[in-house]
Amino acid sequence: MIWNPTKECMSREQMRELQGKRLHKIVEYVYHNVPFYRNKLQEMDLSPADIRTIDDIVKLPFTTKKDLRDNYPFGLQAAPQSEIIRIHASSGTTGNPTIVGYTRKDISIWSECMARSLTSFGVTRNDIFSVSYGYGLFTGGLGAHNGVETIGASVVPASTGNTEKHARLIRDLGITGIACTPSYALYLAETMDKLGISKDQIKLRVGAFGAEPWTENMRTEIQNRLGLKGFNIYGLSEIMGPSVSYECEEQNGSHINEDHFFPEIIDPVTLEPLEPGQTGELVFTTLTKEGMPVIRYRTRDLCSLIPGECPCGRTNVRMSAIQGRTDDMLIIRGINVFPSQVESVVLTMEEFAPVYMLIVDRVNNLDTLMVQVELRPDYFNATLDTPAAISELEKRFADKLRSVLSISAKVQIKAPGTIERSEGKSKHVIDKRQLF
Ligand code: ADP
Ligand code: ZN
């Protein structure tokens, strides 16, 4: 099913024309309402009249997370405060959080995009749908919530926390759909195991998973354990929140809501645009946002765009899975390392639970990498009861890691449940080097 065929299945020419018109309008809007953008454009000798078609977008300056922080809290807001009906803030682990204000129209467009995503996952008004993203300043909870209500399914605002109660509700209410982070889905599966709730006692059939990178192996694992089909949903608060893009039944990339968010891929070093299919940094321009529009926002997410028709009938361009963040990328002894690479190895080994941590340090001016991973309870109890068996497993894991990462890592195999779990976005790196 397609929620809004007019907007999701437009011809490419129509889409580009619409994007061009909207781009001109948004540039004019920020030029007159946000001194930050006016100054930047004036410095470059540009005026809104120079931006006529979507191809003109490359003339515009980029906006970075630092620009958002420097203008904390409301410096980039374009609408008057009286028009703002909701304020979210993104995590802000380093420095000021990013504050994003939404007008009534922004919230309604967000709900529409969320409804497109959920419909694409097969959710209908007949579903009972649990939202287990955190409610609060984080955009996940309320964002998904509005989408479920827009479709008319019954929303259960479970949020995160109190997972045992949630697991029982999933069984007792016959909950059919869930939105949460992929790591929370696994945590939920563990909790159900602990409570003795089996797959055939529950009715979950659809999962909307996002807010953090995940792999195909992880998808298989979640699907097997919860008995549902898992779909990717992507978003970020600076642009809107969840549902900037979403998978369809083909599950070959996520369709971008291009009539609202215009994507580009650039080389993160030269800042030059890259060809379709090439991997680089994803950049978004909001084409319709009123509260806090952003022009060419550098997301720091690495992925590629997949052009061409999709058998599902949607014509909106797709983005590949996120392959890392420019700022999550670890440089260890000069080699780029992404936590997702470690995850892909962990998931190929049946002895391990999908719970791991990278610990990076610097000893005598040399970077060191240690990877901790947890054993599955059944292996811990039965098979691996001798030191020789453990060291054989360690060696096998270390060898596999070296071939994927191109550097060697120390490995440490931990007992089940000993690596800290997170209910929101999972944390996979402890960097003790203090390089900055
Ligand atoms: P932040 O984490 O910067 O505080 P958000 O909470 O808005 O901001 O999170 C947005 C980020 O989360 C994205 O830029 C991206 O890195 C990550 N993210 C969101 N959805 C997905 C997804 N489906 N796959 C991979 N990464 C995702
Ligand atoms: Zn499709």
Side-chain angles (χ1 to χ4, degrees):
M1 286 286 287
I2 298 181
W3 178 257
N4 187 342
T6 317
K7 290 290 169 2
E8 292 173 86
C9 310
M10 265 188 187
S11 76
R12 293 310 300 164
E13 300 74 55
Q14 273 178 321
M15 177 59 84
R16 291 189 72 79
E17 200 186 315
L18 178 71
Q19 289 170 329
K21 276 195 190 131
R22 288 183 167 176
L23 179 66
H24 172 72
K25 241 172 105 177
I26 203 82
V27 170
E28 191 153 59
Y29 176 64
V30 295
Y31 191 83
H32 292 295
N33 292 288
V34 186
F36 167 82
Y37 287 115
R38 183 163 57 245
N39 294 341
K40 270 196 164 186
L41 263 67
Q42 286 174 343
E43 274 167 24
M44 296 171 81
D45 221 6
L46 277 175
S47 87
D50 298 317
I51 310 299
R52 287 285 161 197
T53 73
I54 195 66
D55 295 324
D56 293 326
I57 197 162
V58 294
K59 299 178 185 165
L60 293 166
F62 291 105
T63 307
T64 62
K65 184 96 174 173
K66 181 171 185 304
D67 293 327
L68 268 55
R69 292 220 169 98
D70 291 349
N71 287 282
Y72 176 85
F74 294 127
L76 296 187
Q77 194 168 294
Q81 204 63 41
S82 56
E83 295 296 316
I84 300 292
I85 63 162
R86 194 190 302 164
I87 296 172
H88 280 285
S90 92
S91 40
T93 29
T94 48
N96 287 331
T98 304
I99 305 298
V100 190
Y102 300 75
T103 65
R104 191 172 300 282
K105 187 173 157 214
D106 293 338
I107 297 285
S108 129
I109 287 174
W110 186 8
S111 307
E112 151 83 21
C113 292
M114 212 41 236
R116 290 182 193 175
S117 313
L118 292 168
T119 304
S120 174
F121 305 160
V123 180
T124 71
R125 55 185 305 148
N126 299 323
D127 281 292
I128 304 181
F129 197 95
S130 152
V131 175
S132 296
Y133 286 118
Y135 280 64
L137 289 171
F138 175 56
T139 50
L142 283 166
H145 183 104
N146 285 357
V148 182
E149 285 195 346
T150 302
I151 283 188
S154 321
V155 62
V156 181
S159 196
T160 51
N162 216 343
T163 308
E164 294 195 1
K165 179 172 177 190
H166 186 202
R168 289 193 189 96
L169 282 178
I170 288 175
R171 180 193 58 197
D172 300 345
L173 308 188
I175 288 175
T176 49
I178 183 168
C180 60
T181 59
S183 46
Y184 186 76
L186 286 171
Y187 180 61
L188 185 65
E190 278 180 10
T191 307
M192 287 189 173
D193 282 351
K194 209 169 78 189
L195 296 175
I197 300 177
S198 67
K199 205 161 67 172
D200 43 273
Q201 287 177 287
I202 61 172
K203 293 199 178 137
L204 280 180
R205 57 172 200 87
V206 181
F209 303 128
E212 65 185 11
W214 55 310
T215 53
E216 282 307 317
N217 288 339
M218 206 161 163
R219 177 170 2 226
T220 309
E221 164 108 22
I222 299 171
Q223 293 187 156
N224 288 343
R225 292 181 69 173
L226 291 177
L228 47 65
K229 188 159 165 142
F231 292 86
N232 185 52
I233 180 160
Y234 166 88
L236 64 168
S237 25
E238 293 86 342
I239 301 303
M240 188 61 107
S243 79
V244 169
S245 73
Y246 55 95
E247 269 181 346
C248 60
E249 67 267 23
E250 299 296 323
Q251 301 200 315
N252 177 20
S254 298
H255 289 282
I256 298 173
N257 281 306
E258 267 189 281
D259 49 332
H260 299 296
F261 318 114
F262 184 77
E264 295 172 84
I265 299 283
I266 61 161
D267 180 320
V269 179
T270 64
L271 308 185
E272 288 301 318
L274 294 178
E275 294 297 317
Q278 287 185 295
T279 298
E281 182 175 354
L282 181 61
V283 170
F284 277 113
T285 299
T286 61
L287 297 175
T288 49
K289 217 165 166 212
E290 296 178 335
M292 196 193 77
V294 282
I295 304 293
R296 301 192 88 195
Y297 179 68
R298 295 184 54 189
T299 62
R300 297 162 302 157
D301 288 327
L302 295 168
C303 70
S304 61
L305 293 182
I306 309 170
E309 280 172 25
C310 180
C312 77
R314 291 177 184 80
T315 51
N316 292 5
V317 72
R318 284 160 290 165
M319 54 186 262
S320 71
I322 301 294
Q323 285 148 38
R325 296 235 279 195
T326 52
D327 56 356
D328 263 7
M329 185 175 76
L330 293 162
I331 303 185
I332 302 175
R333 281 172 254 151
I335 307 277
N336 297 349
V337 173
F338 291 99
S340 57
Q341 293 175 298
V342 172
E343 180 172 308
S344 68
V345 176
V346 169
L347 288 167
T348 59
M349 297 183 65
E350 58 180 11
E351 294 88 347
F352 297 141
V355 183
Y356 63 93
M357 185 71 81
L358 281 70
I359 300 168
V360 191
D361 206 346
R362 181 162 285 188
V363 181
N364 301 330
N365 289 321
L366 205 72
D367 293 336
T368 59
L369 171 65
M370 147 104 80
V371 178
Q372 295 181 332
V373 63
E374 253 182 39
L375 278 178
R376 282 186 193 280
D378 39 342
Y379 277 94
F380 183 66
N381 295 334
T383 337
L384 286 167
D385 48 0
T386 65
I390 297 269
S391 63
E392 186 276 329
L393 182 59
E394 275 177 351
K395 182 171 177 316
R396 215 154 22 95
F397 182 44
D399 286 348
K400 279 199 177 193
L401 278 179
R402 190 173 331 101
S403 73
V404 170
L405 303 179
S406 314
I407 59 165
S408 54
K410 266 200 183 143
V411 304
Q412 209 174 56
I413 293 176
K414 312 272 286 180
T418 54
I419 295 178
E420 200 189 332
R421 303 292 193 280
S422 78
E423 296 193 336
K425 294 180 191 245
S426 49
K427 181 170 161 41
H428 292 300
V429 179
I430 299 173
D431 196 338
K432 298 178 172 170
R433 292 177 294 182
Q434 295 177 332
L435 301 179
F436 303 105

